[in-house]
Amino acid sequence: MARSRSPLARDEIVDGILALLGPDGIDTDLHNLREASVDRFRKYSAVHGIFDGPIPAVIAYPESAEQVSAVLRFADENLINVVPRTGRTATEGGLETVIDDTIVLDGSRMNVILNVDPIDMMATVQCGVPLQVLEDHLRLQGLTTGHSPQSKPLAQYGGLVATRSIGQFSTLYGAIEDMVVGLEAVFPGGHISRIKNVPRRAAGPDIRHIVIGNEGALCYITEVTIKVFRYQPENNRFFGFLVDDFADGVDALRELVTDGYRPSVCRAYSPEDARQHFAHFANDKSVVILVAEGPKGIADATADAIEAVFSTRQHERVETSLIETWFDNLNWGQDKIDAEKLTMLNEHHLGYTTEVSIDWSRVRALYDAIMTRVRNEFPRAADLTMLGAHSSHSYQTGTNLYFVYDYMINCEPRDEINEYHIPLNAIIVEESLRLGGSMVHHHGIGKYRTDWTAEEHGSAYSMLETLKRAFDPNGIMNAGTIIPLEP
C-alpha cells in the first residue's frame, strides 16, 4: 500500500474526471468504491464487508477511446494511479487499488460489436463487449470465438486480452494470444495506438504482445479484433475415462497432443479434484475428459486417436451423457458467484486455485512436490477439505497444472488471506519455479505473485522493466501489478 504522489486532493481528482466525462461518467458511491478496491483474490474478506486497502477516488466510465485518452492524460499529468478494468472477473489482485485516490477506469460501457466478417473470419469489438454476448451473436451466423473460459458469462474482451486469458477449448483453438489479430490501446499521456489486422507479418517484433497480457500496467485496451471459427457442434464427440494414477492420465494427454491431435477439451483430474466435480462416478480415481471437435473428418480422426490411446491403457469408460452434462454446466455466472458468497458466509468454507505450467517430463515431480509440501509444511493443513490438481491446457512441449485447494476457515475473516490463501499460493509458485516451470499459466501475475516476477523471467527481467519505464515513465498504470510496488 502506498500514498498518492499526486498534488491533487481527492475531491480535485473527482472534479477533474467529472469535467472530462460528465456526471453520468463517474461513480463516487462509497459502497461501489469499496467493492472496486479488490477483486476475487480477496473474495472472503470482501463478502464480510472488509476493505482494508486504499479506497479509489472515483470509478470512471469512458465511452470511447478518446475519453480513455483524456482520462489517462489527466492521470499522467497529475501522477494519479489508474486501475483499468472491464468484466471484473480477475482473480490475482490485478484490480486491487494499492495507491490512495486511484482512478478505476472501467470500460464496460464500451460494449459495441463493431464488425463481424465471415469471409476474412474476424470479429472486431470494443473492450467492454462480454464474451458471451459475442459468442451468442456469432452462433446465429454459424460461427464461434472458440474461447470459453469458466468466466465466459461475465468476462469482457479488454480484460481477456489484458490477462492473456485461455479457454476450455484451448488445445484446438488456442489461447487469447493466438486469437487476437489486431487491437487498439491507449498509453499514458493519451496516445492511441492501433495495430492493424493482418494474417501475419515479419515487420519487426510482434508488437501485439506489448499489449496482450500487460494487465493494465502499460496501457488500456479499447478495441480488439479476433479470429472466428466455424461452429459445428453436431460433430462433437465426448469421452471420459477413469484411470488409477493422475500422472498416467496426463501422460495420455501428452501422447495425443504430441502425436498431432487436438481435442478441444483435454483434461486430467487428480482423484481429490475429480471427487468434487465427478463424485457420482469418479470412485476415487483420476478422471480424463476429452472432446473431439471440428469438421466431421477431423473430429472422427481425433476420436479414433483417443480410442487408440486408451486401448493400450488400463481404464474404465465413463458414460458419454455424464460428460456432456458436466460440460454443459462448467461455466460460472453471477448465480454461482452469489451461491459461493452464501457458502462463505454460512459455512466459513471456500476454495481457490493457482495455475502454473510445466514440461511434460516434470509433471509428476511437480504434483508430488506440491502435495508433499502443503501437507507437511502448511501450518493449517488440518483445515484443508480438498487438495488436488488438474491439467486443462496442453501443448507440444508440456501442460498446465491447476492446483485446487478448499479449506474451512478457523480465523477471523480479515486474517484468512494471510493464514490460508497467500501461503498456499506461495508453495505452489515456489515449487513450479524450482522445477523450471512458469509460476502462472493464464490468470496473470496480478499483485500477489510479483515477489517472484524477477525469478520467473531471470536475465530477461530487464526487458520487462524497460517496457514499464518506456511506456509508463510516471508509473501511473496499475501500480504493483506484474512489477512489485516500489517503496
Side-chain angles (χ1 to χ4, degrees):
M1 309 300 177
R3 298 184 64 180
S4 172
R5 297 176 296 127
S6 177
L8 300 184
R10 188 179 183 89
D11 289 347
E12 292 175 307
I13 292 172
V14 174
D15 288 344
I17 301 301
L18 177 64
L20 294 173
L21 302 183
D24 293 337
I26 70 168
D27 185 354
T28 56
D29 177 82
L30 181 58
H31 172 77
N32 294 337
L33 291 176
R34 283 159 60 86
E35 289 201 333
S37 70
V38 299
D39 63 20
R40 283 179 56 77
F41 196 90
R42 289 183 177 264
K43 62 186 178 183
Y44 188 71
S45 53
V47 81
H48 285 86
I50 298 168
F51 302 96
D52 290 334
I55 306 302
V58 62
I59 305 170
Y61 288 95
E63 297 186 10
S64 67
E66 289 71 27
Q67 288 191 339
V68 172
S69 174
V71 171
L72 291 188
R73 188 180 306 112
F74 172 76
D76 199 48
E77 290 170 353
N78 293 287
L79 300 179
I80 306 164
N81 185 55
V82 177
V83 172
R85 77 176 192 191
T86 54
R88 301 182 64 182
T89 59
T91 63
E92 304 305 317
L95 301 185
E96 280 192 26
T97 53
V98 297
I99 305 289
D100 288 330
D101 299 336
T102 288
I103 299 168
V104 173
L105 191 55
D106 188 303
S108 59
R109 294 183 186 174
M110 299 171 63
N111 57 7
V112 178
I113 298 173
L114 298 169
N115 185 55
V116 174
D117 186 335
I119 302 299
D120 293 329
M121 298 296 281
M122 292 185 288
T124 301
V125 297
Q126 290 183 310
C127 61
V129 169
L131 172 55
Q132 187 69 64
V133 169
L134 179 61
E135 182 68 22
D136 292 344
H137 181 76
L138 289 173
R139 286 190 181 185
L140 295 174
Q141 304 176 55
L143 302 171
T144 179
T145 62
H147 198 52
S148 186
Q150 197 169 27
S151 60
K152 185 176 182 177
L154 301 172
Q156 298 173 3
Y157 264 93
L160 291 169
V161 175
T163 56
R164 293 182 75 89
S165 164
I166 203 166
Q168 292 142 0
F169 312 147
S170 66
T171 310
L172 177 60
Y173 296 105
I176 197 73
E177 67 269 20
D178 304 303
M179 299 172 178
V180 172
V181 183
L183 49 80
E184 178 186 78
V186 186
F187 287 82
H191 177 70
I192 301 174
S193 294
R194 177 175 289 275
I195 300 174
K196 67 182 180 181
N197 304 325
V198 291
R200 188 185 187 275
R201 57 179 166 179
D206 191 339
I207 55 176
R208 292 174 302 174
H209 293 280
I210 293 172
V211 177
I212 300 170
N214 88 92
E215 297 186 47
L218 300 179
C219 60
Y220 194 100
I221 298 163
T222 51
E223 184 183 302
V224 180
T225 298
I226 60 159
K227 304 172 188 175
V228 297
F229 305 88
R230 305 288 178 209
Y231 182 55
Q232 302 170 90
E234 66 277 7
N235 299 326
N236 289 2
R237 304 272 297 277
F238 298 87
F239 297 87
F241 304 95
L242 305 183
V243 296
D244 290 333
D245 181 75
F246 173 56
D248 287 345
V250 176
D251 194 62
L253 306 185
R254 179 197 61 78
E255 185 175 345
L256 274 167
V257 171
T258 58
D259 279 352
Y261 295 97
R262 297 292 180 264
S264 61
V265 177
C266 195
R267 292 182 165 227
Y269 288 80
S270 74
E272 303 89 349
D273 198 2
R275 201 175 298 128
Q276 70 170 344
H277 293 282
F278 315 110
H280 49 303
F281 65 75
N283 299 326
D284 289 326
K285 291 181 177 289
S286 291
V287 176
V288 179
I289 304 291
L290 296 151
V291 179
E293 186 176 329
K296 187 176 186 305
I298 291 176
D300 288 348
T302 304
D304 290 345
I306 291 169
E307 296 281 12
V309 164
F310 280 90
S311 70
T312 63
R313 297 172 182 268
Q314 288 279 79
H315 70 273
E316 298 173 40
R317 188 178 289 269
V318 177
E319 171 61 40
T320 298
S321 63
L322 296 175
I323 305 304
E324 291 190 65
T325 299
W326 164 83
F327 187 77
D328 290 339
N329 293 280
L330 190 56
N331 292 336
W332 276 60
Q334 192 60 49
D335 57 337
K336 291 186 178 180
I337 289 176
D338 291 342
E340 181 189 46
K341 289 179 178 179
L342 286 175
T343 299
M344 287 189 282
L345 286 170
N346 297 333
E347 301 178 18
H348 312 293
H349 180 266
L350 81 163
Y352 280 108
T353 63
T354 300
E355 28 62 68
V356 299
S357 68
I358 195 74
D359 298 344
W360 291 117
S361 59
R362 297 170 183 167
V363 167
R364 186 184 295 274
L366 179 59
Y367 175 74
D368 289 346
I370 289 172
M371 296 297 110
T372 299
R373 272 197 67 187
V374 170
R375 288 169 179 151
N376 294 334
E377 297 180 23
F378 178 51
R380 292 184 176 269
D383 294 335
L384 291 168
T385 59
M386 197 277 289
L387 175 67
H390 62 265
S391 164
S392 49
H393 309 280
S394 291
Y395 312 91
Q396 191 72 9
T397 58
T399 190
N400 89 301
L401 287 183
Y402 222 131
F403 288 92
V404 187
Y405 37 97
D406 298 354
Y407 45 82
M408 298 300 301
I409 298 159
N410 290 304
C411 66
E412 292 298 313
R414 177 173 276 109
D415 299 329
E416 175 274 328
I417 194 166
N418 291 313
E419 292 291 325
Y420 293 91
H421 192 186
I422 287 176
L424 286 166
N425 188 63
I427 288 172
I428 296 163
V429 167
E430 288 166 1
E431 289 303 304
S432 300
L433 290 172
R434 181 181 67 83
L435 288 168
S438 173
M439 68 171 179
V440 54
H441 178 260
H442 64 271
H443 282 164
I445 291 173
K447 294 183 174 73
Y448 289 94
R449 303 192 207 188
T450 57
D451 287 347
W452 299 278
T453 304
E455 184 179 352
E456 166 78 23
H457 290 281
S459 61
Y461 182 62
S462 63
M463 297 168 65
L464 198 59
E465 290 183 305
T466 300
L467 283 174
K468 180 67 172 174
R469 288 195 300 269
F471 289 109
D472 184 23
N474 290 324
I476 66 149
M477 297 299 292
N478 209 0
T481 296
I482 298 182
I483 293 174
L485 188 67
E486 295 183 3

